[in-house]
Amino acid sequence: MVRDKAAEAAAERSEKNEALVKFIVEQKGAEDTLQAVVSGEKQPHFEFTQKWVPILFDDQQLDRIVKYLTGFLHNCEKVSDEVSTMSYDKIKYILVVMLPEVSQ
């Protein structure tokens, strides 16, 4: 029986990513870090001016995380001046700063 190493690697990555999605979305395990970054108390690993770093989630996983991060950002009581003055760039901030921050 020939093993499909690429398919096995993709399945393994998806399984690991799913564990990360559950940690972020369901267990809310990254909220302290996110709050510190959004409020300006902690410097993020990625700056808003950098280009988006692709994260290898499948579409459903990425959708769940982005929905969660969007809600989190919307419900934050304390945000930095940089974040509070954004309007149309909030999704970019989520993808460029918040997503890589929780994916590390």
Side-chain angles (χ1 to χ4, degrees), residues 10-27 56-62 64-65:
E12 184 178 321
R13 183 180 65 239
S14 181
E15 186 177 312
K16 288 179 181 178
N17 286 347
E18 186 59 32
L20 181 58
V21 170
K22 286 180 181 180
F23 173 77
I24 295 166
V25 175
E26 295 171 16
Q27 298 171 3
L56 300 175
F57 292 107
D58 68 27
D59 289 346
Q60 289 178 331
Q61 292 169 335
L62 184 60
R64 286 170 52 204
I65 291 175

Side-chain angles (χ1 to χ4, degrees), residues 4-69:
D4 184 353
K5 290 185 180 186
E8 288 177 7
E12 184 178 321
R13 183 180 65 239
S14 181
E15 186 177 312
K16 288 179 181 178
N17 286 347
E18 186 59 32
L20 181 58
V21 170
K22 286 180 181 180
F23 173 77
I24 295 166
V25 175
E26 295 171 16
Q27 298 171 3
K28 301 186 183 338
E31 284 196 354
D32 290 342
T33 298
L34 287 172
Q35 184 60 57
V37 168
V38 170
S39 68
E41 295 170 8
K42 178 184 178 204
Q43 190 69 18
H45 290 91
F46 296 90
E47 293 295 326
F48 183 65
T49 55
Q50 289 178 306
K51 293 185 178 188
W52 181 58
V53 178
I55 310 295
L56 300 175
F57 292 107
D58 68 27
D59 289 346
Q60 289 178 331
Q61 292 169 335
L62 184 60
D63 186 51
R64 286 170 52 204
I65 291 175
V66 169
K67 283 181 182 178
Y68 166 75
L69 293 174

Side-chain angles (χ1 to χ4, degrees), residues 87-98:
S87 55
Y88 65 91
D89 276 348
K90 285 191 178 173
I91 192 66
K92 181 180 176 186
Y93 183 79
I94 289 168
L95 293 174
V96 173
V97 177
M98 295 176 75

